[in-house]
Amino acid sequence: MKWLVTGGAGFVGSNLIASILSERPDDRVVVLDNFSASAYDEFASAPPLAQAERLAPDAPVWDANRTLGVIEGDIRDMETVERATAGADIVVHLAANTGVGPSVENPRLDSEMNIGGTLNMLEGARAAGVKRFVFASSGAPAGLTEPPITETIAPRPASPYGASKLAGEAYCCAYAVAFGVPTVALRFSNIYGPRSWRKGSVVATFIRQAMAGEPITVNGDGTQTRDFIHIDDLTRAIRLAATTSGLSGELYQVATGCETSVNQLLALLQEKFEAAGLPAIKRRQGERAAADVQRNFADASKAAQELGWRPQKDLSEGLAETLDWFLHYRRD
Ligand SMILES: NC(=O)c1ccc[n+]([C@@H]2O[C@H](COP(=O)([O-])OP(=O)(O)OC[C@H]3O[C@@H](n4cnc5c(N)ncnc54)[C@H](O)[C@@H]3O)[C@@H](O)[C@H]2O)c1
């Protein structure tokens, strides 16, 4: 199988590609990334991603002797998208303006990236006749909905990011019905794990702040809840969504179903810091953003039934592993 992964140099993408290369050694992968939120040297710093080859503008994209190629380019540029998608079997579309904060600061850019960019990728996938198009959505389209979130709730986005991801889901459904592109949209819950050094997510930010000896900023009173999923569980769900036969126009929640408050997360992290012999975590109060929902967790029974997917990693174990990765990353 030939996989095109947009945003492949980022947190989810680099973990996904490492998992494809180890689980499916005969497959080939091409990354399309503009490196706006990642760096080539970091991406290709360690095996199995160290075998990456940067592709010159005139180089063939799918060379039988190359396992991992990288196109430096933007999903908003249709010519680049056409070059990248031609010949691909599977497109995993991860490149995006990620997160609520940046979308509130610049809703137009968020729409250009997440709606315009996704439309470009679907057009490229349609022209290429791909076997599967997997779209990275999020819990944000559900927005102001009483959890647990399911695929059938009426979405009420609370941020431009939620609105643009909802539009992406809608285009995936429309391209499946109108043009027969076999799409699957996955609503990822809050992902944590190795290779998240650059992320502004709560786990990565807390670990970075605490490692720097700074107080951890908790926005609001810390009672807000999230559904924290380990990156290895998430990448397994993406591989299943890409390779399970017969899916088209589907939407799946990819989540643990466990509701964890920021205060509970902090207590667990404190344990891990103590176990690693690190100083106690200090806490400081921050402002709660208006677009931040109070409770968020999801029911992934549909993914269990139709993809045979279930989360396997417990949060406590996953946080210990993540802290270990951060400590090694800083030392390397
Ligand atoms: N990390 C999470 O907790 C989470 C949760 C829900 C959904 N998601 C979604 O999963 C996807 C991957 O997230 P991530 O955490 O790996 O993000 P990330 O920021 O680590 O990676 C995104 C990658 O996309 C690239 N990119 C951004 N804009 C681009 C453009 N216009 N053209 C080409 N490349 C571009 C960036 O350089 C980066 O390498 C995103 O679509 C995100 O919205 C992530």
Side-chain angles (χ1 to χ4, degrees):
M1 285 285 191
K2 289 176 282 175
W3 301 66
L4 172 68
V5 183
T6 74
F11 167 44
V12 174
S14 54
N15 280 284
L16 172 68
I17 295 165
S19 78
I20 294 170
L21 298 180
S22 65
E23 299 285 321
R24 304 174 61 95
D26 296 334
D27 288 6
R28 280 176 284 155
V29 181
V30 166
V31 168
L32 170 59
D33 202 302
N34 68 357
F35 294 96
S36 57
S38 49
Y40 185 85
D41 292 345
E42 267 174 47
F43 165 71
S45 62
L49 304 181
Q51 61 185 304
E53 269 179 52
R54 248 179 159 140
L55 302 187
D58 55 351
V61 172
W62 301 103
D63 183 323
N65 298 317
R66 187 195 308 116
T67 306
L68 177 57
V70 178
I71 298 173
E72 185 164 352
D74 201 294
I75 55 167
R76 289 167 294 177
D77 175 30
M78 197 58 213
E79 220 176 285
T80 302
V81 167
E82 279 165 356
R83 174 179 178 231
T85 44
D89 296 310
I90 296 168
V91 174
V92 180
H93 177 38
L94 303 172
N97 193 46
T98 65
V100 167
S103 80
V104 173
E105 272 164 36
N106 193 344
R108 189 170 299 281
L109 178 67
D110 179 79
S111 146
E112 285 164 10
M113 301 262 259
N114 295 358
I115 305 179
T118 299
L119 188 57
N120 282 351
M121 291 312 305
L122 282 164
E123 275 293 285
R126 170 160 85 114
V130 301
K131 297 185 174 78
R132 186 64 47 83
F133 183 97
V134 181
F135 171 64
S137 189
S138 127
L144 302 172
T145 309
E146 195 57 31
I149 301 165
T150 66
E151 295 80 0
T152 55
I153 51 102
R156 293 182 66 214
S159 64
Y161 174 68
S164 64
K165 285 290 182 185
L166 182 58
E169 291 177 6
Y171 273 110
C172 285
C173 184
Y175 267 62
V177 178
F179 305 118
V181 180
T183 60
V184 177
L186 300 178
R187 284 184 177 159
F188 306 160
S189 63
N190 289 63
I191 315 158
Y192 71 96
R195 299 181 204 260
S196 58
W197 182 265
R198 286 171 174 264
K199 295 302 297 180
S201 57
V202 60
V203 173
T205 306
F206 280 7
I207 295 181
R208 270 197 315 268
Q209 286 178 329
M211 277 172 59
E214 295 165 8
I216 279 179
T217 309
V218 175
N219 294 331
D221 63 4
T223 57
Q224 63 270 42
T225 62
R226 295 293 180 266
D227 184 326
F228 295 103
I229 186 166
H230 190 272
I231 185 69
D232 290 349
D233 283 326
L234 193 274
T235 56
R236 190 161 33 82
I238 298 177
R239 294 198 312 274
L240 284 166
T243 55
T244 302
S245 60
L247 306 178
S248 187
E250 291 295 346
L251 172 67
Y252 296 98
Q253 301 290 158
V254 181
T256 65
C258 299
E259 187 176 20
T260 304
S261 72
V262 170
N263 291 333
Q264 288 168 322
L265 177 77
L266 200 49
L268 275 173
L269 269 180
Q270 181 66 65
E271 268 177 31
K272 306 305 162 202
F273 266 69
E274 272 167 31
L278 296 166
I281 294 176
K282 296 179 284 269
R283 173 180 176 144
R284 144 176 91 198
Q285 182 85 15
E287 282 294 307
R288 209 44 215 286
D292 198 22
V293 296
Q294 174 62 22
R295 292 180 69 205
N296 193 337
F297 68 102
D299 175 354
S301 339
K302 185 179 171 200
Q305 278 156 20
E306 298 181 13
L307 303 177
W309 175 86
R310 276 180 191 78
Q312 291 170 353
K313 200 152 284 182
D314 157 74
L315 182 58
S316 176
E317 180 198 347
L319 286 176
E321 191 189 293
T322 305
L323 176 60
D324 197 45
W325 183 87
F326 270 72
L327 292 170
H328 275 96
Y329 182 85
R330 192 179 59 173
R331 276 200 288 273
D332 287 349

